[in-house]
Structures are given as structure tokens and as C-alpha cells.
Amino acid sequence: YKVRRPVRVTLEVFDLFGRKIATLVDHKLSSPGRYVEYFDISRYDLEPGLYYYSLVDNERSVRRKMIVE
């Protein structure tokens, strides 16, 4: 993800039923720049498939699909 100015960021992963699977970033104060977070499904004992991620900061909220292999 990319931030343009200092903001608090939360990045969470959900299954198809809307159950929270993981919190990758929890209200972290992020300086301007690009960030990469890795989601290792083996750490959460999950099967490959379709999941959703939610990225929330002070200015926006984005929810998108992702395919995990």
C-alpha cells in the first residue's frame, strides 16, 4: 500500500463469510511511502482460495478480493 502523508493504517484479511482471519497491520502510524505486507496462509492453517483484505486509514477504507495460492 502507499500513503501520501502520516496516517494510522489497519490491514486485515477476511474469509468469504466475513470472518476476520488475520490482522497484518494494526493501527500502525505509517510515514509517507510504499509498504509491502506478506500474507503466509500456512501460518494461519488456511487453504488456497479467495479472500478479502480491508485497508483502512484516516482518509479512506478499501476492501478488495485477493486470490491466495
Side-chain angles (χ1 to χ4, degrees), residues 32-44:
R34 284 185 174 263
Y35 296 86
V36 176
E37 300 294 334
Y38 295 95
F39 179 57
D40 181 4
I41 63 172
S42 66
R43 182 174 172 200
Y44 299 96

Side-chain angles (χ1 to χ4, degrees), residues 1-7 9 28-37 55 57 60:
Y1 59 95
K2 182 179 177 182
V3 294
R4 295 185 185 133
R5 57 183 167 172
V7 292
V9 175
K28 176 183 169 187
L29 183 57
S30 298
S31 300
R34 284 185 174 263
Y35 296 86
V36 176
E37 300 294 334
L55 178 65
D57 66 27
R60 64 187 170 142

Side-chain angles (χ1 to χ4, degrees), residues 11-24 39 46 49-55 62-68:
L11 178 59
E12 298 173 318
V13 178
F14 298 87
D15 67 11
L16 291 176
F17 300 105
R19 296 178 294 215
K20 184 168 36 172
I21 302 297
T23 300
L24 304 179
F39 179 57
L46 298 174
L50 184 63
Y51 294 88
Y52 291 92
Y53 69 88
S54 172
L55 178 65
V62 176
R63 186 174 178 125
R64 300 280 190 267
K65 294 181 211 178
M66 68 176 175
I67 296 174
V68 177

